[in-house]
Amino acid sequence: MKLLEKLPEAEAAKFLHKVVDGLCGYAFPRHQDYNAIWDLTEWMEALEQTASYFRKTVGKDLSDEEAARSLAELNPDIQKAMLACLKGRKPDIRQALIGKTNAICSSQLLNFDWQLKLALSSDKLSMLQMPLLNLDLDLSRDGDLKYISVEMNKEELQALINALEAANKVVLQLK
């Protein structure tokens, strides 16, 4: 984020708003407009760090104090510009993040079935005794039916349960 301090004060707000525009599906700022300030490597780093800051701050719904705290190493003018941009464009960023999340998959779960099995041995181990879960999913995507079967061990199942609980928590927060 220190790279942002190379920006002239008059350019900082313009750059930040262009980064937010890029996050919202419009054009990101172009390197050729800022090549007098940053070389290509610095440019990519500044762009990614700035975009990451906005995504993280809005995605985690950080308070104004927490958002300011993560900018503590920057000079006050850049901090002020970033917080002003964040405050003004927070709804736009949130909407873009929700849209990207929804665009990940348009499939709908129609039905599921599961079976618990106990693997007693394998070709590598004679005494295995490992529980396995077979999960069958019936999905619909734009009217097309798709069947998926997944086999998971205990750790993979726990990771799936944790991910589903986290997704449920996010859905409940959006209501």
Side-chain angles (χ1 to χ4, degrees):
M1 294 286 272
K2 281 289 207 184
L3 290 171
L4 292 178
E5 292 182 349
K6 287 186 169 185
L7 274 173
E9 201 173 316
E11 288 287 316
K14 181 179 170 185
F15 172 76
L16 295 171
H17 281 282
K18 283 187 175 186
V19 170
V20 173
D21 286 344
L23 290 174
C24 293
Y26 302 106
F28 274 99
R30 300 177 308 173
H31 176 250
Q32 66 191 38
D33 296 334
Y34 297 93
N35 62 2
I37 300 167
W38 296 303
D39 64 34
L40 187 58
T41 305
E42 291 175 328
W43 161 255
M44 295 299 291
E45 188 176 336
L47 188 62
E48 178 53 38
Q49 287 178 351
T50 305
S52 177
Y53 169 77
F54 287 128
R55 281 192 302 265
K56 181 185 83 165
T57 304
V58 174
K60 292 184 176 182
D61 199 24
L62 298 180
S63 67
D64 293 343
E65 295 81 29
E66 291 171 318
R69 203 174 310 127
S70 61
L71 298 174
E73 81 271 1
L74 297 176
N75 73 43
D77 294 329
I78 296 294
Q79 286 182 27
K80 184 178 171 184
M82 288 194 75
L83 293 173
C85 182
L86 179 65
K87 188 172 187 173
R89 303 288 302 272
K90 197 172 196 174
D92 298 335
I93 299 168
R94 178 173 302 287
Q95 193 64 36
L97 291 175
I98 290 170
K100 285 183 181 178
T101 302
N102 288 342
I104 289 173
C105 185
S106 61
S107 296
Q108 293 179 335
L109 179 64
L110 297 176
N111 196 8
F112 69 95
D113 190 22
W114 61 274
Q115 295 176 341
L116 186 60
K117 298 179 178 182
L118 184 64
L120 298 176
S121 65
S122 74
D123 58 348
K124 295 182 176 56
L125 296 171
S126 62
M127 292 294 293
L128 188 62
Q129 295 191 358
M130 179 182 6
L132 297 173
L133 178 86
N134 280 353
L135 180 62
D136 297 320
L137 304 172
D138 299 341
L139 303 174
S140 170
R141 182 178 190 147
D142 302 326
D144 296 331
L145 296 179
K146 186 174 182 181
Y147 304 100
I148 298 175
S149 184
V150 181
E151 184 176 86
M152 293 179 269
N153 62 27
K154 188 176 180 179
E155 292 80 22
E156 293 168 332
L157 176 60
Q158 189 59 52
L160 175 65
I161 291 170
N162 291 340
L164 291 173
E165 286 175 346
N168 186 46
K169 184 178 177 183
V170 170
V171 168
L172 292 176
Q173 287 176 349
L174 293 175
K175 287 184 179 181

